[in-house]
Amino acid sequence: MGAFCSVIKFENLQELKRLCHWGPIIALGVIAICSTMAMIDSVLWYWPLHTTGGSVNFIMLINWTVMILYNYFNAMFVGPGFVPLGWKPENSQDSMYLQYCKVCQAYKAPRSHHCRKCNRCVMKMDHHCPWINNCCGYQNHASFTLFLLLAPLGCIHAAFIFVMTMYTQLYNRLSFGWNTVKIDMSAARRDPLPIVPFGLAAFAATLFALGLALGTTIAVGMLFFIQMKIILRNKTSIESWIEEKAKDRIQYYQLDEVFVFPYDMGSKWKNFTQVFTWSGVPEGDGLEWPVREDCHPYSLTIEQLKQKADKRVRSVRYKVTEDYSGSCCPLNKGIKTIFTIPCTEEPRIQLRKGEFILATRGLRYWLYGDKILDDSFAEGVSRIRGWFPRKCVEKCPCEAETDPAPEGEKKNR
């Protein structure tokens, strides 16, 4: 109930502007089309309300829609939670372990990062999601993940209704001839006569909604899998990248140390309950976090400071070996590249063979960095920043040991 009230009682009406963005418009449009068409198809042509099964089916469709929209708006309007402006640790000596944000005029609390889109330091920031036009972080991580779970489940139910509607309505209208299959749509006017005939327009709308439902199931289902993977490790997407660079820094300098991620409680269930609770309110206050017994309370922030001071770790030089058009869905770069597209508003950059890139972070099949328009690396040189596929570049010889390779590849080195 408290979470529900927090959705209704906005801090100010400016929050409603989040809806005026291409992400929420597309997301809500897909939800509206799939839900509306599923209800129409079910009631008019597949499973009428006067039957017990039809009534149960209709109630389930409404239930899916309500739960999906509830978690969607909860993730959007409750938000991730922001570090208070001017915040500083209670113990002034702890500030030496923290980074200072000049924009927020505050220290960055452990696990927090500054979001350029929100223009605030976000508590336990995972990423800025264009589909909710907000960050995913401490307060809304559970709602966002539940939305990623419920949306595919609801779409699977809707897709089943679309398929069964087309099958039952067209089964007796198929006319098979030599090398042809014809559909007699006039059969919709025969007895028994439905309230609204299943005509060509209804068939086209149902087929379109089926495509949206299947596409949403695949795309959002993969995002849910990725989120659950990091939640069970009590990490965020940003922290996974920090850990990757930490291991690479140790390997490069051949240090006699092992980086241990401090927030992994050692149990998947304990990690799970850090995000999902029966009350709906996440554990802690978003500023202080429990750590493993063998770790310093500021292990991760200390590592961030080391990486910030080490320019070699902050960026890795690559040379472009394949052209890339800058498209969001590069069909010619492999199936794995297509299905692991970064879910972010950050741009993609066009690459030409022979150019040089400074990569600062990345995923298994994508990297993010600066394309240097001049072949020098001096400060002040104009750069273009964005995402690009890993397979389009290769490490420069001098950087051969510095690239934060994916976990699976590291084990095989």
Side-chain angles (χ1 to χ4, degrees):
M1 188 64 183
F4 178 73
C5 293
S6 63
V7 175
I8 297 178
K9 296 178 182 178
F10 304 111
E11 293 180 359
N12 51 64
L13 293 178
Q14 298 298 319
E15 286 292 317
L16 290 174
K17 290 185 177 180
R18 293 192 183 279
L19 293 169
C20 303
H21 181 268
W22 63 265
I25 291 174
I26 293 176
L28 293 174
V30 171
I31 294 171
I33 291 173
C34 291
S35 299
T36 304
M37 282 306 303
M39 294 178 188
I40 291 174
D41 282 7
S42 180
V43 173
L44 294 181
W45 301 302
Y46 175 56
W47 219 341
L49 285 176
H50 62 78
T51 64
T52 303
S55 299
V56 173
N57 176 67
F58 188 76
I59 293 173
M60 287 183 63
L61 286 174
I62 294 177
N63 185 55
W64 287 126
T65 305
V66 170
M67 290 195 300
I68 290 170
L69 290 177
Y70 171 79
N71 284 285
Y72 179 81
F73 287 126
N74 214 23
M76 177 187 290
F77 291 124
V78 171
F82 301 109
V83 177
L85 296 175
W87 181 85
K88 60 178 65 175
E90 293 183 2
N91 186 349
S92 59
Q93 293 183 350
D94 291 343
S95 60
M96 63 182 294
Y97 302 119
L98 302 173
Q99 298 183 60
Y100 187 79
C101 178
K102 296 181 181 179
V103 177
C104 299
Q105 295 293 303
Y107 285 95
K108 294 182 182 179
R111 313 192 77 176
S112 67
H113 302 274
H114 187 83
C115 175
R116 286 174 292 181
K117 292 287 184 180
C118 298
N119 202 34
R120 288 289 299 275
C121 286
V122 178
M123 293 190 289
K124 195 192 173 186
M125 180 178 176
D126 185 83
H127 68 287
H128 185 91
C129 178
W131 303 112
I132 62 174
N133 195 21
N134 207 340
C135 278
C136 174
Y138 163 68
Q139 290 185 351
N140 64 352
H141 204 172
S143 296
F144 179 76
T145 307
L146 285 174
F147 165 72
L148 297 183
L149 170 65
L150 295 169
L153 293 178
C155 284
I156 291 173
H157 186 182
F160 172 78
I161 292 175
F162 298 147
V163 171
M164 294 306 297
T165 298
M166 291 188 289
Y167 173 77
T168 55
Q169 291 297 313
L170 302 179
Y171 181 74
N172 294 324
R173 306 173 202 177
L174 295 177
S175 174
F176 294 91
W178 293 105
N179 299 323
T180 60
V181 177
K182 297 181 179 179
I183 300 178
D184 179 14
M185 300 306 290
S186 64
R189 298 180 176 83
R190 301 172 189 166
D191 292 330
L193 186 66
I195 299 176
V196 179
F198 188 78
L200 185 60
F203 173 76
T206 301
L207 191 61
F208 176 70
L210 175 62
L212 286 180
L214 293 177
T216 302
T217 300
I218 296 173
V220 181
M222 292 186 64
L223 292 177
F224 170 73
F225 174 78
I226 294 172
Q227 282 297 313
M228 283 305 302
K229 186 177 179 180
I230 62 175
I231 286 175
L232 293 177
R233 297 175 181 176
N234 202 12
K235 297 179 183 178
T236 64
S237 301
I238 296 176
E239 289 168 350
S240 296
W241 174 249
I242 294 173
E243 181 184 28
E244 204 170 329
K245 291 197 294 183
K247 294 178 179 178
D248 226 64
R249 178 183 64 82
I250 294 171
Q251 180 184 15
Y252 179 78
Y253 290 113
Q254 298 182 354
L255 302 176
D256 186 20
E257 63 180 85
V258 177
F259 178 79
V260 178
F261 186 72
Y263 303 113
D264 187 346
M265 298 291 98
S267 165
K268 291 184 179 180
W269 174 249
K270 290 182 180 179
N271 292 338
F272 180 83
T273 54
Q274 286 284 306
V275 177
F276 296 95
T277 61
W278 291 110
S279 64
V281 180
E283 291 282 344
D285 59 2
L287 298 174
E288 297 182 0
W289 299 90
V291 297
R292 298 168 60 107
E293 295 181 357
D294 55 341
C295 291
H296 188 278
Y298 295 100
S299 292
L300 194 66
T301 55
I302 292 173
E303 177 59 34
Q304 288 178 262
L305 292 172
K306 290 179 180 179
Q307 293 179 11
K308 186 176 181 180
D310 187 355
K311 294 183 179 180
R312 182 206 63 80
V313 175
R314 290 173 62 189
S315 60
V316 181
R317 184 175 179 177
Y318 287 84
K319 183 176 182 180
V320 179
T321 56
E322 295 182 20
D323 290 348
Y324 169 53
S325 64
S327 64
C328 291
C329 187
L331 300 178
N332 60 338
K333 301 304 179 183
I335 297 295
K336 293 181 179 179
T337 301
I338 295 174
F339 283 107
T340 55
I341 295 173
C343 181
T344 173
E345 275 188 292
E346 293 170 320
R348 277 60 170 168
I349 55 175
Q350 189 176 27
L351 302 180
R352 289 288 178 264
K353 189 174 181 179
E355 294 177 333
F356 290 92
I357 303 288
L358 278 179
T360 55
R361 53 191 168 95
L363 304 172
R364 188 175 181 85
Y365 298 102
W366 289 80
L367 289 170
Y368 182 89
D370 301 324
K371 179 168 72 171
I372 301 177
L373 302 182
D374 191 296
D375 194 27
S376 69
F377 286 79
E379 293 186 8
V381 176
S382 178
R383 301 180 181 183
I384 299 176
R385 176 177 294 173
W387 290 93
F388 53 91
R390 271 188 187 262
K391 69 174 301 181
C392 294
V393 297
E394 67 178 12
K395 299 182 293 291
C396 292
C398 60
E399 305 284 348
E401 295 299 326
T402 68
D403 175 41
E407 291 295 328
E409 295 179 15
K410 287 181 179 179
K411 294 177 181 178
N412 296 326
R413 281 181 175 176

